[in-house]
């Protein structure tokens, strides 16, 4: 049985005090109200990680939003996997479209990041997704399949088993326009088939594929009920404890 995971990507939001307050609220309400077998991940900015790790427990895990490709050394301003581990991190978001767009992250660079995260024993949440133009041009399936092929398909099946995929159509991120359940389910099924073509049905069936992009308490129940959607990567709605909890509770 594959794991259901709802992760909150705080992006570059919350000062320390606000972040600690939010993490505490989420942790408390998850404990009181969430009965399903879902894993909850808080992907905070780097500076919050150590503090938040002391505020969470049980189903609630810690995630980072990025890391560097090298183990240590003269790389001013970067953060290594070992540092993340020492802060209590379990997951690392890699290849978010914002990092691809604003920081020039390529599929090849992401393959290196995937390697270093897995070597360090952490789990990548690997993001993929197309722009509106790419969807309108009809190249979205090929493009997203290619993102997986180029950044992940060098992995052994054993290593791939630790990868979480997040499908985030770029046109749905922060826009209030979510993918329809049909569009999301269609892409998730195509991704699972692509994984099966490389690693076999067993591995594909066990792979968690999250949906991200304007996911909120209203649309989450229908999205999460789709057979190939195994949770969400939540931006805006993860910044308010009540909203985030209501998204998490949409997992049955
Ligand atoms: P929104 O939920 O704000 O659309 O952001 C989605 C996202 O980018 C999560 O990584």
């Amino acid at each position: 049985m594959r794991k259901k995971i709802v992760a909150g990507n705080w992006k570059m939001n919350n000062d320390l005090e606000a972040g600690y307050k939010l993490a505490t609220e989420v942790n408390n309400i998850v404990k009181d109200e969430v009965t399903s077998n879902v894993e909850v991940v808080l992907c905070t900015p780097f500076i919050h990680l150590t503090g938040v790790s002391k505020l969470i427990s049980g189903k609630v895990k810690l995630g980072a939003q990025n890391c560097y490709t090298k183990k240590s050394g003269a790389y001013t301003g970067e953060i290594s996997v070992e540092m993340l581990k020492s802060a209590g991190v379990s997951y690392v978001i890699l290849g978010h479209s914002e990092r691809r767009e604003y920081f020039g992250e390529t599929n090849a660079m992401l393959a290196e990041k995937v390697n270093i995260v897995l070597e360090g024993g952490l789990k990548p949440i690997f993001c993929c997704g197309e722009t509106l133009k790419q969807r309108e041009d009809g190249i979205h399936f090929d493009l997203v399949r290619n993102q997986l092929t180029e950044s992940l398909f060098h992995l052994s099946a054993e290593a791939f088993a630790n990868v979480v995929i997040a499908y985030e159509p770029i046109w749905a991120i922060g826009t209030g326009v979510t993918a329809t359940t049909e569009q999301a389910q269609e892409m998730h099924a195509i991704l699972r088939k692509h994984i099966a073509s490389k690693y076999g049905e067993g591995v594909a069936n066990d792979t968690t594929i999250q949906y991200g992009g304007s996911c909120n308490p209203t649309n989450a129940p229908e999205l999460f009920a789709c057979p190939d959607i195994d949770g969400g990567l939540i931006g805006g709605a993860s910044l308010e404890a009540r909203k985030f909890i209501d998204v998490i509770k949409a997992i049955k």
Side-chain angles (χ1 to χ4, degrees), residues 12-58:
M12 197 175 74
N13 292 296
N14 288 325
D15 63 13
L16 269 187
E17 194 186 338
Y20 292 168
K21 182 167 172 278
L22 176 59
T24 304
E25 278 173 11
V26 168
N27 194 66
N28 288 343
I29 316 179
V30 165
K31 220 181 291 171
D32 290 345
E33 296 184 19
V34 177
T35 51
S36 66
N37 210 7
V38 62
E39 191 154 279
V40 177
V41 187
L42 298 183
C43 300
T44 78
F46 290 132
I47 64 153
H48 295 72
L49 291 170
T50 315
V52 168
S53 76
K54 299 185 177 82
L55 302 171
I56 57 176
S57 57

Side-chain angles (χ1 to χ4, degrees), residues 9 11 96 98 168 172-175 212-215 233-237:
N9 177 7
K11 306 192 181 183
H96 192 282
E98 289 149 17
E168 298 204 307
I173 295 176
T175 58
S214 297
C215 191
L233 183 53
I234 318 301

